[in-house]
Amino acid sequence: MSIRKLLIWITPLVLGALVGLYEILHGLFYVLYGTPDQKRDYPLEIVLGLLIMAVCLGGHWLISRISHSNTRTIWIIESILVALVIYGLYRS
């Protein structure tokens, strides 16, 4: 596998999708093995993890198609988007 193909698949939005996967697995663990209060509260984490994962992977796919799989363009656009989201979270 070439470096270019690896860099297309490891981008900021794909890493964001991994955060969504972590949330899904974390919520699923507490739904299965948690206390009754945790079993009530953690399904929301599963739903939010699914939403984060879907938005990140959909955004990555869309940016990849728009930029014709140009690695540098994908990285620049996704880095700017992730930076704006992080900036917005810290400002709120």
Side-chain angles (χ1 to χ4, degrees):
M1 180 179 241
S2 69
I3 297 293
R4 181 178 174 269
K5 289 223 181 241
L6 186 65
L7 286 176
I8 287 176
W9 283 104
I10 300 176
T11 62
L13 285 181
V14 173
L15 295 176
L18 289 177
V19 170
L21 178 65
Y22 170 77
E23 283 194 33
I24 293 167
L25 294 176
H26 185 258
L28 191 60
F29 175 79
Y30 280 106
V31 167
L32 294 176
Y33 302 112
T35 64
D37 287 338
Q38 291 171 334
K39 288 182 181 186
R40 185 190 71 224
D41 295 336
Y42 279 92
L44 179 61
E45 189 170 347
I46 296 171
V47 172
L48 291 176
L50 285 170
L51 180 64
I52 290 170
M53 196 169 168
V55 167
C56 286
L57 290 177
H60 173 72
W61 178 80
L62 184 65
I63 292 169
S64 177
R65 294 293 172 239
I66 290 172
S67 68
H68 302 292
S69 296
N70 185 347
T71 307
R72 184 180 306 140
T73 307
I74 292 172
W75 268 87
I76 290 170
I77 293 171
E78 289 188 10
S79 297
I80 291 171
L81 288 175
V82 169
L84 288 173
V85 168
I86 291 171
Y87 176 74
L89 288 173
Y90 280 120
R91 292 283 296 179
S92 64

